[in-house]
Each structure stands twice: as structure tokens, then as C-alpha cells.
Amino acid sequence: MNSENISDSQPKGIIIAIDGPAGAGKSTTAKIVAARLGYQYLDTGAMYRALTFYSLTNNIPASETEKLTQIASDMIIEFETTEELNKVYLNSQDITSEIRTPEVTRAVSEISAIKGVRRAMVAKQRKIGKAGSIVAEGRDTTTIVFPDAELKIYLDASVEQRAERRLLDMSKQGVNTTLKEQKDDLIRRDNFDSHREHSPLTKSPDAMIVDTTRLTIEEQVDEIISKVNSVIKK
Ligand code: DC
């Protein structure tokens, strides 16, 4: 289960970093790509969500930046991933569904904008990536976390398409919401994540842009796997 322990005897594969706005299909695509390649999947957003869940349950507001930075650096986040599931543990507690609630989603942008929190999370993410053979996804994996990643992808899609995907995800989770609510929430989060002072979401100049608006998940996965193959063959 501990994602920080990967055997040194395995041949080291490449680092694939995928960034993009919320709802572009990063997590579904990255999870399947990782499973196909036998790589580890790293959901960096889940780490910011884990801290946000902790802050909400312990009534620590985002203004307590030093306290949250300390908690971020002390917390133990572990993943257990298969093609179907991505279990997330915080200090050994399974918080997989708790980090996907609308409350956490609403609060996570502000928590993830804290400079010290980002520093702590990036250190954990680099430690996990040290072994290579990883598919990492988030907002700054191509720019800050893994600037030397062998393959960088910027996954994008129209906001309408992303809102429709989110609506479908929410209805599967039994959450009652509307397309307009989802679209407004995505626009608010995109705006916050792209304009924050520290590590905003940007298109890395060396990232390949994949627009998923008209692609199925299978097509997205195939496109990335073909890019991986061309990088590996070089
Ligand atoms: O991908 P997601 O929706 O689970 O991410 C949750 C939030 O975490 C998102 O609003 C922005 C933040 N995030 C970040 O700042 N940096 C990352 N590398 C990943 C996510």
C-alpha cells in the first residue's frame, strides 16, 4: 500500500506528468495509462483534498497557514491503486470517499494555494516519483513537481463538456446537482487555480496539448500511450 516504497531492483520507467483543469479527464485517463504500463498512478489533487478534509474536520481555517503547513508536512498519505479504484489513506485512515464531497471540493482551492502547504506536498510527490515509472496528474506536475518529466501532457476540454462529465460523476455518487452548478463551480475553480500566486495552473511550453472534448476515454488513453511509445523509442 505504501506508495513511497518501490523496489530499486525494478527497471526504472519514465515519468509521465499530466496537468489540466478540473474535469478534463486527468484522473480516469492517468489511472488507466498507469495500469496499462504497470506504472504507479499519483493523484496529487487527492493529497490537497486530504489536507482539506483534515482542516474541515478539525476546524482549522485556511488563514492558519503555518499550522496547515506543519500538518501537511507531518501527515502520511498513502495510496492503494488498481484500474478500478484509487484508495487514499490519511494517517492509516481510509478517506477515499470523504475527500470527494462537495464541501471538500469547495474548500480545496484555497488550502492548495498556501505556499508552505505546496512546498510540503511537492516534497512528498517528488519522493514518490524518485523511483520513476509513474503517471502523475494535477495542476503543477509538468511545471513544478516534475520539470524534467520525459513526457508532459496538458489535458484540456471545453467547460461545457467538463461540466457534463462532472454532473454524471456526481449523479453516480448520488449527489443532487445541476449542470449550471457544476459549470459555475468549474469556472470558479479554474479561475482560482490559474490565477493564484504560487504554482498556478499553466500550460508548460514543452507539454503536448490533448483536447479531450470530443474524445472517449479509450481514445484519450490510446493517444497518450502512443506518445509514451514514441518517447520510449527515442
Ligand atoms: O484534481 P482535483 O480536482 O482532485 O484537485 C483538487 C484541487 O487541488 C484543485 O482545485 C487544485 C488543487 N491542486 C493543486 O493545486 N495542485 C495539484 N498538483 C493538484 C491539485
Side-chain angles (χ1 to χ4, degrees):
M1 168 170 106
N2 191 340
S3 53
E4 297 184 24
N5 294 330
I6 290 183
S7 163
D8 286 341
S9 60
Q10 303 235 342
K12 197 172 170 182
I14 66 169
I15 292 181
I16 302 165
I18 305 177
D19 285 332
K26 297 184 303 290
S27 58
T28 314
T29 308
K31 217 181 296 167
I32 301 173
V33 168
R36 287 236 195 126
L37 297 170
Y39 279 20
Q40 185 180 1
Y41 163 59
L42 174 60
D43 177 357
T44 61
M47 300 171 74
Y48 293 100
R49 285 175 178 272
L51 179 64
T52 304
F53 165 72
Y54 187 96
S55 77
L56 292 175
T57 27
N58 293 281
N59 293 314
I60 306 167
S63 54
E64 298 233 24
T65 55
E66 277 180 28
K67 195 166 181 184
L68 287 166
T69 298
Q70 190 59 50
I71 294 166
S73 97
D74 292 344
M75 68 198 322
I76 298 172
I77 303 172
E78 294 165 303
F79 295 99
E80 192 185 352
T81 314
T82 66
E83 197 165 327
E84 290 81 40
L85 59 83
N86 179 38
K87 285 201 171 203
V88 185
Y89 297 84
L90 170 60
N91 301 329
S92 301
Q93 182 198 347
D94 184 350
I95 54 159
T96 309
S97 43
E98 285 82 350
I99 61 168
R100 304 287 165 196
T101 61
E103 292 73 28
V104 169
T105 301
R106 255 192 306 276
V108 65
S109 282
E110 212 184 337
I111 299 279
S112 65
I114 300 168
K115 188 178 180 185
V117 164
R118 301 206 67 84
R119 205 186 320 113
M121 294 300 190
V122 168
K124 288 186 196 304
Q125 291 154 11
R126 288 188 179 149
K127 198 170 167 200
I128 295 169
K130 234 181 178 161
S133 306
I134 193 165
V135 185
E137 57 98 352
R139 304 294 189 289
D140 62 346
T141 65
T142 59
T143 52
I144 306 289
V145 187
F146 300 118
D148 298 326
E150 287 88 344
L151 180 62
K152 297 183 183 182
I153 306 277
Y154 188 90
L155 217 58
D156 211 350
S158 72
V159 71
E160 286 76 19
Q161 181 64 38
R162 293 189 284 126
E164 277 183 26
R165 290 176 189 164
R166 273 286 138 107
L167 188 66
L168 195 68
D169 281 352
M170 291 291 164
S171 77
K172 277 185 199 157
Q173 287 174 42
V175 177
N176 200 7
T177 175
T178 65
L179 189 62
K180 178 165 183 343
E181 272 172 2
Q182 287 310 305
K183 191 173 164 186
D184 290 349
D185 183 61
L186 284 173
I187 292 171
R188 180 189 64 81
R189 279 215 287 153
D190 286 353
N191 195 39
F192 200 105
D193 295 342
S194 307
H195 293 97
R196 67 181 176 218
E197 188 185 351
H198 308 294
S199 315
L201 168 67
T202 48
K203 287 181 186 141
S204 176
D206 51 356
M208 296 181 186
I209 297 171
V210 176
D211 188 326
T212 70
T213 307
R214 287 184 186 78
L215 297 183
T216 63
I217 293 292
E218 265 315 295
E219 289 168 334
Q220 286 165 221
V221 169
D222 287 347
E223 187 152 346
I224 294 176
I225 295 277
S226 81
K227 291 188 193 314
V228 171
N229 287 335
S230 60
V231 168
I232 289 174
K233 273 186 206 133
K234 269 184 196 163

